[in-house]
Amino acid sequence: MRKYVRGAVALALPLVLPAALMAAPARADAGGPGDGGPGGDWRLVRAETFDRSLGEERARWVRDGGGPGSPYHVDGYDDDGEFFQTMGGPAFKEQLAKFDTYRKSWRFGAGGWLTAELAARDSDKDGRPDAPPSLTARKGVAHMDEPSHHGGVLIRSTGALPAEYRVEMTLRGLDFGGQRNGSWDYPDGRINGYSPEGCKTNHPWASGGDFARPECEWANVRTDSNGFYYLGIMDYARPAPHNNVFVHTHRKVAMDSYNRYKYTGSGLRVCNPKTGQYEPYGASTGNGVNAIFMTDDRRYTGQPGTEYLMPSECGFAKGGAIVSQVDLRPELLPRESYRFAVERRDGAYTMEMSGVFAHVGQATFRYTRAFVQDGEPIWHYNQKPSEYDGRFNTDWTYTGAGGTYTDRDVWPAGSAYPDTFMIGDPHMNFYEGGARVDDVRLYVPGRE
């Protein structure tokens, strides 16, 4: 189902959080029906307006040694996981040993319902992260700043989201690539949002190829892509910056940007919501939003990553060229704003975008899809074992310089994947820039 509303911004709809985080009442000035919050029977249970220090100065950078003992260990797609050891062989371990990874994490907001997750590389191993990202609050706005693509910065839910919920964020600033004033090359020397100094590559995490290459001979991310996650729902407990391959295996639904430098290929296309017609990527400004439901099929035969289900005003697409549903207008920020929301309710997910978009002006777009629709499931939708019977389970196998790795039972009966949300840049080998987030809110069903 889709719904497109032009004119005044449609009231956003709420999301839910864990029971332990729902005990305290929300602040009266945090928003709700009639004052910028969602309409309908949603009840606000948490709101962060960034009016006070987030406490970053009290958190310390800590070296992450990786492996099963790391609090950030998840599976074989970890930064030191079996997938990369298989694809890269001994050369991957040599590359990984050339730097240390440092992380910083702390809770903030009422009852600590939100968590900041930052990561950075220490290339000279002097015990201090290089060009670390930051997350600070200033005058009611969260500043997410990432000076190097070797880092990552996220805001996430501390605990699992409730069975039904609405979560939303308001965007006031965005500088993670895309054209500015009609150009991918900025007057200050930056290229698609990346600084011009030094080489910038996807080292040391690739889905194949020669892992023994020097770092500067890996894929150039500066002339490939930049981007940002406005809101994503993940399938594991502690979303944090990882390699980009890892992230592509753990998304349920996501609204993000994927800003490809001067791209003229056929792997991307944009929807013009005014005409209802797809257009080539070059017709956009490179500031699109990709609202994607993930499904159980593999998008790539030789690497991890789930297939995409992509509704838009131009129709529905599964796989193939990535679809941008709308084109943002970053030059309007911070005077204008954009609101992004995800709802889980009545056996379905809904993604919602509101703001001033190219071609149509002020509008709201909503796309809803059932957990299983037309035989296509939303990847790892089941928060509890009882919600799923194992019908989409399989093994994924990869072969590389280090042998063969099989990820067995990628979605078995008896599994459970509680929802957690993230906002920011989750990639430690792609993306660089800054963003400004005005507020983050969580709703559950039920009127005040």
Side-chain angles (χ1 to χ4, degrees):
M1 182 186 78
R2 62 181 181 175
K3 182 179 180 182
Y4 161 38
V5 183
R6 294 191 61 183
V9 180
L11 297 178
L13 306 182
L15 300 161
V16 187
L17 280 168
L21 300 180
M22 291 167 50
R27 288 172 42 188
D29 62 349
D35 62 352
D41 59 340
W42 290 106
R43 177 169 58 91
L44 182 67
V45 293
R46 280 289 181 262
E48 174 56 48
T49 53
F50 302 106
D51 294 319
R52 62 187 67 186
S53 170
L54 303 182
E56 180 185 18
E57 67 282 357
R58 297 191 296 273
R60 297 179 58 188
W61 287 100
V62 177
R63 180 177 175 273
D64 179 10
S70 168
Y72 294 92
H73 170 72
V74 180
D75 58 21
Y77 308 109
D78 285 350
D79 302 326
D80 58 354
E82 295 96 325
F83 170 77
F84 294 105
Q85 294 183 41
T86 296
M87 301 310 292
F92 168 68
K93 292 183 179 180
E94 293 175 7
Q95 298 287 4
L96 194 63
K98 292 180 179 179
F99 62 91
D100 288 334
T101 295
Y102 276 76
R103 296 184 182 274
K104 180 188 281 194
S105 176
W106 73 95
R107 296 183 179 186
F108 64 95
W113 77 283
L114 295 174
T115 294
E117 294 283 2
L118 283 63
R121 190 175 298 192
D122 176 13
S123 296
D124 57 10
K125 296 191 174 185
D126 65 353
R128 293 175 296 179
D130 311 324
S134 63
L135 174 64
T136 57
R138 297 176 229 166
K139 298 181 179 179
V141 177
H143 289 235
M144 308 179 80
D145 291 305
E146 187 181 315
S148 169
H149 80 294
H150 283 162
V153 53
L154 295 180
I155 297 172
R156 67 169 173 90
S157 51
T158 299
L161 296 168
E164 295 190 319
Y165 61 84
R166 172 186 170 93
V167 63
E168 62 184 36
M169 69 85 95
T170 301
L171 185 74
R172 285 286 182 181
L174 184 65
D175 190 13
F176 274 90
Q179 291 187 42
R180 295 295 184 273
N181 298 314
S183 177
W184 291 95
D185 302 308
Y186 302 175
D188 61 4
R190 287 183 300 148
I191 301 169
N192 193 20
Y194 288 100
S195 68
E197 294 81 20
C199 66
K200 293 183 181 292
T201 71
N202 66 340
H203 174 271
W205 298 291
S207 57
D210 179 11
F211 279 72
R213 293 167 292 170
E215 178 177 349
C216 288
E217 294 181 14
W218 289 55
N220 184 352
V221 302
R222 185 184 282 123
T223 55
D224 182 87
S225 62
N226 207 341
F228 184 78
Y229 277 72
Y230 306 108
L231 196 56
I233 303 299
M234 310 301 286
D235 70 355
Y236 68 109
R238 189 171 188 171
H242 287 277
N243 64 83
N244 68 304
V245 172
F246 172 95
V247 174
H248 290 172
T249 70
H250 290 286
R251 302 174 298 183
K252 299 189 181 191
V253 302
M255 290 176 285
D256 70 351
S257 57
Y258 183 45
N259 307 327
R260 299 292 308 273
Y261 181 78
K262 298 182 179 180
Y263 183 77
T264 58
S266 59
L268 300 171
R269 56 181 173 173
V270 298
C271 174
N272 182 330
K274 183 175 182 180
T275 64
Q277 299 296 314
Y278 292 117
E279 298 178 352
Y281 185 74
S284 76
T285 66
N287 292 289
V289 178
N290 308 313
I292 298 174
F293 299 95
M294 293 351 126
T295 193
D296 64 319
D297 298 328
R298 282 170 62 175
R299 182 168 174 82
Y300 314 102
T301 57
Q303 69 180 79
T306 52
E307 187 56 278
Y308 305 157
L309 306 176
M310 300 167 288
S312 71
E313 302 311 300
C314 298
F316 171 79
K318 176 186 176 182
I322 300 173
V323 174
S324 294
Q325 284 83 355
V326 293
D327 220 8
L328 302 185
R329 298 181 58 192
E331 72 276 8
L332 299 179
L333 301 168
R335 179 172 54 87
E336 300 287 346
S337 65
Y338 291 96
R339 178 166 291 179
F340 299 89
V342 175
E343 301 169 13
R344 176 183 174 122
R345 195 168 190 184
D346 297 331
Y349 284 99
T350 297
M351 289 184 281
E352 177 184 288
M353 303 167 280
S354 296
V356 179
F357 302 108
H359 305 296
V360 295
Q362 187 76 54
T364 291
F365 297 89
R366 287 174 56 84
Y367 302 102
T368 296
R369 189 169 183 87
F371 294 160
V372 181
Q373 183 172 324
D374 300 325
E376 301 281 1
I378 294 176
W379 179 243
H380 286 176
Y381 68 83
N382 53 308
Q383 295 178 330
K384 299 180 295 184
S386 59
E387 295 177 310
Y388 169 68
D389 60 9
R391 74 183 69 179
F392 302 110
N393 189 33
T394 190
D395 298 338
W396 291 352
T397 299
Y398 315 93
T399 301
T404 297
Y405 167 57
T406 298
D407 182 5
R408 300 195 183 282
D409 293 324
V410 299
W411 196 355
S415 60
Y417 305 92
D419 290 17
T420 50
F421 74 77
M422 71 170 186
I423 300 164
D425 171 23
H427 301 318
M428 296 199 301
N429 59 334
F430 278 87
Y431 300 174
E432 176 179 306
R436 306 292 177 255
V437 178
D438 201 356
D439 59 32
V440 181
R441 304 182 184 191
L442 179 68
Y443 300 80
V444 296
R447 295 183 180 280
E448 298 286 350

